[in-house]
Amino acid sequence: MIHEKALRRTNRRIIKAIHQEFSTWKKGELELFIHRVELNLDKLLVQLHALYHDQPDWYFFAEKMVIEAGKSWSKRTKALKKLDEERERNPTWFKSHQMIGGVCYVDLFAGDLKGIESKIPYFKELGITYLHLMPLFDRPKDENDGGYAVSSYRKVYPPLGAMPDLKHLAKVLKKEGISLVVDFVNNHTSDEHEWAMKAKSGDEFYKDFYFFFPDKTIPNQYEQHLREIFPEIRRGNYHQNKETGEWVWSTFRNFQWDLNYRNPEVLIAMAQEMLYLANQGVDVLRLDAVPFTWKEMGTNCENLPQAHSLIKALNAVARMAAPALYFKSEAIVHPDDVAEYVSQEECQISYNPTVMAMIWESLATREVKLLKKSLENRFYIPGDCAWVNYVRSHDDIGWTFSDEDAYSIGIFPEGHRYFLNHFFAKDFSGSFSKGQPFQYNPTNGDLRVCGTTASLAGLEQALALNDEGRLKDAIHRIVLMYSVVLSIGGIPLLYLGDELGMLNDYSYENDPHKKGDTRWVHRFSMNWDEAEIAKKGEGVSGEIFHELKRRIFLRKEIPAFGNGSIELVETHNPHVLAYLKEEGKQKVVVINNFSEQEQEIRCWLSIGLDRLTNYQVDLNGTVVLSGYQSMWVELGK
Ligand code: GLC
Ligand code: GLC
């Protein structure tokens, strides 16, 4: 617990320090900044105290953090300051049925940042209002984990452009009503980051930015409780650095060095990088690998309370110096742990890996019971926050459902994960899927799955077999999954290229820097010729493009889909998932058939209009859905 009176004294000291430091500012500016500091200072101090109270100089770091925040705010453009005020008035601006997300790699989608700008008409054609550009900052040239090894947060990776391009892009996107999302890889830097280079050369100040161990004694003690993320590439969470001979904590790859947040200098330095990016006009920072940022001996070093404190501290700083900036969390862990990161004080937006994995699970089993259980028990987040619901991301699919949920409906979790991995990425006979296995861990049998939406959904197989029936099913599966993410609430996120049914790209196997990381199989280059064909409505891609686009724009007419909460509706059919969405007087029942067979349901509701077909449906009687059909039934219409 923090001492209340001491907190008040600390507050007063920091406000005084602001007056001194910024005495030359215009009165109005100073008042506004102080107002924001006053609103958020307690929040910051409580978190810093929780993190650093055992370090007697922690107060000085607190003061420095606020002063740095002030310096950064004074560099913010007029336009961004205006946006700050708008978003303060409307802190749930991202919660709307108008929101549609898209994600792509800058190089694979459009060559460079200027190329991305030239694709704005395409984004608009798809209704996109939130654009996540995959890591675009400086990185080691050869191996860099798709950019998740950042060498400088202030420099764009030269082949993609330069910082002014990013700033310009942010501005142009904003004019077009598109928010810019970029990654803030805050768990680690690359081993070529200036801090890491100085650490390698023996600079003690920077060595303390990372975790160095003279031998494996302590690492081995930690290791007993740690997970391994890339066990096929390297066992354990450490590697021996060539330059110093010491062991360095590197949860992911050898060239990704975990930051030592126990050192308050690291948090201050990262807060400055964060504010720098906010000042370039970035709207949302995707906080990468958030579970891993704090280490504590004897724990698995994931999702520790301090990992939350770190984000809350960064959030308090953002509210002071860049209130238009929002956070999206990337925590691909147990569903309950995922939800813990979501609040206005922490991350306002979060990936929903559970819904993602469970829609695939339902396609494999043709049953919705585990998806339903997960929605029943694990979908809730605070009303002023939003899930990002998605079908595929640039990463693997892990079966992160809750074991308790599975047991409660008679599913044995371990066996089920084994089945799912075999179904999607191995040799399950009768599977429609063409995925690849990712990072098998021989110690515990863990495995994950890679592949594009289309290949995992059966399109690759159907095309290879030239089978009309399978082709139809595959297309229907893709459309069904996107129908779910478009209707379930939160921000739906399109993995750009899915609208064309892009297949697996096996060429990564010939690249020595990518080989062995099967995630590259679904990181394809955008096929713009195909996009032209699709836009004309021709061929398989045309069918998918047309149907997804139609549903995207229909979603934008249905305010109930912007509401984050759902109410499950009983369908009396194990293959069909239904939920009710409400906003004001609008009530829409969404019904999804996860099997290729026709299904009958009974929900004892009233008559409504299926917005997808414009036919009236009587939900008070028996309703028949064709294979993989969805209905968006607006009641009372
Ligand atoms: C996140 C990214 C993933 C990356 C990892 C390490 O999980 O999504 O692609 O490998 O963090 O940065
Ligand atoms: C993430 C996840 C893990 C994923 C990995 C690499 O942080 O926790 O499931 O496989 O990064 O993609």
Side-chain angles (χ1 to χ4, degrees), residues 205-440:
F205 181 79
Y206 286 103
K207 274 188 98 164
D208 212 21
F209 271 47
Y210 303 94
F211 298 90
F212 282 88
F213 304 94
D215 55 43
K216 285 210 80 179
T217 319
I218 293 175
N220 285 343
Q221 288 169 16
Y222 276 112
E223 202 75 86
Q224 286 170 26
H225 305 276
L226 301 180
R227 194 151 65 101
E228 292 170 283
I229 307 297
F230 296 120
E232 284 181 12
I233 295 175
R234 188 206 60 213
R235 297 311 304 260
N237 285 269
Y238 307 82
H239 78 282
Q240 192 170 22
N241 176 245
K242 280 201 285 303
E243 279 89 346
T244 72
E246 287 157 295
W247 291 82
V248 181
W249 198 313
S250 40
T251 302
F252 295 89
R253 305 283 303 274
N254 290 353
F255 50 83
Q256 289 162 300
W257 289 15
D258 288 49
L259 285 163
N260 172 19
Y261 280 100
R262 197 178 284 273
N263 174 3
E265 296 283 4
V266 171
L267 182 59
I268 290 201
M270 288 301 281
Q272 284 169 251
E273 302 311 275
M274 168 187 86
L275 293 177
Y276 175 83
L277 292 176
N279 282 357
Q280 308 311 305
V282 170
D283 293 280
V284 177
L285 285 178
R286 171 195 180 277
L287 303 190
D288 180 64
V290 291
F292 300 91
T293 49
W294 193 271
K295 303 15 173 161
E296 207 67 64
M297 183 67 85
T299 74
N300 67 355
C301 301
E302 288 187 44
N303 309 306
L304 295 178
Q306 293 90 338
H308 293 279
S309 288
L310 287 170
I311 306 175
K312 287 181 181 158
L314 288 173
N315 192 355
V317 172
R319 303 279 71 78
M320 291 175 190
L325 183 72
Y326 281 64
F327 294 163
K328 169 191 177 183
S329 91
E330 188 247 355
I332 314 299
V333 285
H334 187 282
D336 295 345
D337 293 324
V338 176
E340 285 286 310
Y341 292 93
V342 191
S343 73
Q344 272 282 337
E345 280 70 45
E346 199 168 342
C347 295
Q348 300 83 1
I349 305 172
S350 166
Y351 278 114
N352 191 337
T354 316
V355 164
M356 182 277 292
M358 289 307 97
I359 18 192
W360 288 104
E361 188 270 348
S362 300
L363 279 185
T365 59
R366 278 80 166 172
E367 290 202 344
V368 298
K369 60 182 177 188
L370 194 51
L371 171 56
K372 222 165 122 182
K373 251 289 154 273
S374 307
L375 289 173
E376 198 176 294
N377 295 345
R378 332 255 165 211
F379 193 70
Y380 173 81
I381 47 171
D384 49 8
C385 295
W387 285 123
V388 166
N389 291 302
Y390 61 111
V391 174
R392 280 302 285 119
S393 78
H394 66 290
D395 279 334
D396 45 287
I397 303 177
W399 307 109
T400 53
F401 56 81
S402 140
D403 287 2
E404 308 88 87
D405 287 354
Y407 281 125
S408 76
I409 48 174
I411 292 176
F412 176 58
E414 202 177 312
H416 200 54
R417 291 195 176 97
Y418 180 88
F419 156 72
L420 291 167
N421 283 326
H422 279 255
F423 185 93
F424 284 107
K426 295 189 101 172
D427 48 9
F428 187 82
S429 80
S431 168
F432 49 74
S433 197
K434 270 205 144 326
Q436 291 201 329
F438 179 69
Q439 299 301 317
Y440 175 63

Side-chain angles (χ1 to χ4, degrees), residues 100 125-127 391 453 475-486 494-495 497-501 541-555 612 632:
I100 302 286
E125 174 154 16
L126 285 168
V391 174
T453 297
I475 296 172
H476 290 161
R477 286 186 198 105
I478 298 170
V479 173
L480 172 73
M481 287 188 287
Y482 273 104
S483 288
V484 175
V485 302
L486 285 166
L494 174 65
Y495 190 79
D498 274 3
E499 71 282 10
L500 308 179
S541 59
E543 206 174 314
I544 300 171
F545 185 88
H546 172 79
E547 222 13 72
L548 292 191
K549 197 177 140 183
R550 188 171 82 84
R551 286 168 200 236
I552 285 172
F553 283 93
L554 193 53
R555 165 188 154 106
L612 284 165
W632 294 355

